[in-house]
């Protein structure tokens, strides 16, 4: 699995010829690419409708590429009404298989203008990742490790103010027990300033089996 950080909470994930975009806020201040740079995509996942999670850009990518737009029922229907052809209108706990990729919608503790905030657990035939959207830590994150263990990559908000901070994120890692963690949702704006190196040190102490991978916008890592 190749994971490319597109800044903030935005990622491009590639596995077995499949190209996924999650929360593609490509007009954001830290995005290394624009919509013009996207010419292929299979699945677009949007966790909630706040501007910094790329609902608008996600729709554009789908219209341009024919990719599936997958989100909570109300949000995916909205994308459909606004011209996206291929949609999957999941709800919490539900899954869909798209070309061998299983996408499961899970809860998040946050807010949303349309429907509710969500996260995604995505399983390829031989790897998996969890993008929690915006959330504070919650106890039922431990169910995800029970159900889907081992999750290969946990994309982990650490910036506080709108989401969990590094201390909550450290506990989230303990509950989810992923193999790898990539910090996100920090340092985009002054209010979400956080130190990923400090978070890395904390996780190395409390979850020594977990690897923390810090990547900058535009950088990729192979897992
Ligand atoms: Zn939000």
């Amino acid at each position: 699995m190749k994971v490319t950080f597109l800044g903030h909470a935005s990622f491009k994930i590639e596995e077995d010829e499949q190209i996924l975009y999650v929360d593609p806020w490509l007009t954001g201040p830290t995005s290394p690419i624009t919509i013009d740079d996207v010419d292929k995509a299979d699945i677009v996942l949007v966790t909630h409708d706040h501007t910094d999670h790329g609902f608008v850009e996600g729709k554009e990518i789908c219209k341009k590429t024919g990719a599936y737009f997958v989100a909570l029922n109300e949000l995916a229907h909205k994308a459909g009404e606004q011209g996206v052809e291929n949609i999957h209108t999941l709800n919490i706990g539900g899954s869909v298989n798209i070309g061998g990729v299983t996408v499961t919608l899970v809860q998040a503790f946050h807010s949303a203008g349309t429907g509710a905030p969500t996260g995604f657990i995505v399983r390829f035939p031989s790897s998996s990742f969890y993008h929690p959207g915006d959330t504070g830590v919650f106890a039922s994150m431990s169910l995800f490790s029970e159900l889907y263990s081992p999750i290969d990559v946990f994309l982990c908000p650490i910036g506080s103010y709108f989401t969990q901070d590094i201390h909550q994120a450290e506990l989230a890692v303990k509950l989810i027990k992923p193999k790898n963690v990539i910090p996100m949702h920090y340092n985009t704006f002054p209010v979400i300033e956080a130190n990923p190196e400090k978070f890395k040190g904390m996780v190395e102490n409390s979850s020594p089996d977990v690897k923390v991978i810090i990547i900058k916008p535009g950088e990729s890592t192979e897992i």
Side-chain angles (χ1 to χ4, degrees):
M1 180 169 39
K2 183 181 175 189
V3 179
T4 304
F5 186 34
L6 301 178
H8 200 54
S10 180
F11 288 88
K12 180 184 185 184
I13 314 271
E14 294 160 273
E15 168 85 340
D16 288 339
E17 310 283 303
Q18 297 269 9
I19 301 174
L20 280 74
Y21 284 88
V22 191
D23 284 2
W25 188 35
L26 305 187
T27 57
T30 51
S31 179
I33 62 167
T34 68
I35 295 197
D36 291 340
D37 298 314
V38 179
D39 45 22
K40 263 189 78 191
D42 298 290
I43 301 170
V44 174
L45 308 174
V46 176
T47 59
H48 63 298
D49 66 350
H50 290 162
T51 311
D52 58 323
H53 291 263
F55 175 65
V56 171
E57 294 92 330
K59 286 185 301 179
E60 291 309 312
I61 293 171
C62 291
K63 287 179 192 173
K64 205 174 158 181
T65 63
Y68 276 97
F69 185 97
V70 186
L72 184 85
N73 187 282
E74 286 81 359
L75 191 58
H77 274 300
K78 197 169 175 178
E81 284 157 13
Q82 295 176 2
V84 175
E85 210 165 306
N86 299 316
I87 58 171
H88 277 295
T89 59
L90 294 178
N91 218 315
I92 305 297
S95 299
V96 63
N97 188 296
I98 304 169
V101 183
T102 303
V103 178
T104 301
L105 195 72
V106 298
Q107 69 270 39
F109 286 80
H110 190 64
S111 64
T114 304
T118 65
F120 291 98
I121 293 172
V122 177
R123 285 166 291 153
F124 301 103
S126 57
S127 62
S128 59
F129 72 89
Y130 171 36
H131 189 305
D134 282 356
T135 193
V137 67
F138 50 95
S140 43
M141 281 176 168
S142 63
L143 298 179
F144 305 151
S145 71
E146 207 171 305
L147 285 162
Y148 307 116
S149 180
I151 291 172
D152 289 299
V153 184
F154 171 33
L155 305 166
C156 181
I158 63 165
S160 191
Y161 203 90
F162 302 115
T163 68
Q164 60 191 15
D165 60 15
I166 55 173
H167 297 283
Q168 293 181 24
E170 180 192 16
L171 177 58
V173 171
K174 275 195 214 168
L175 297 172
I176 295 159
K177 301 184 181 76
K179 287 187 182 168
N180 301 280
V181 178
I182 298 177
M184 66 163 182
H185 214 281
Y186 67 97
N187 292 354
T188 319
F189 327 107
V191 291
I192 59 170
E193 216 174 286
N195 183 341
E197 295 293 348
K198 187 175 175 195
F199 169 68
K200 184 176 180 173
M202 288 158 64
V203 171
E204 279 170 355
N205 242 334
S206 56
S207 299
D209 297 339
V210 180
K211 188 175 168 196
V212 179
I213 303 167
I214 299 170
I215 47 176
K216 296 193 180 81
E219 290 180 350
S220 300
T221 183
E222 297 267 359
I223 288 157

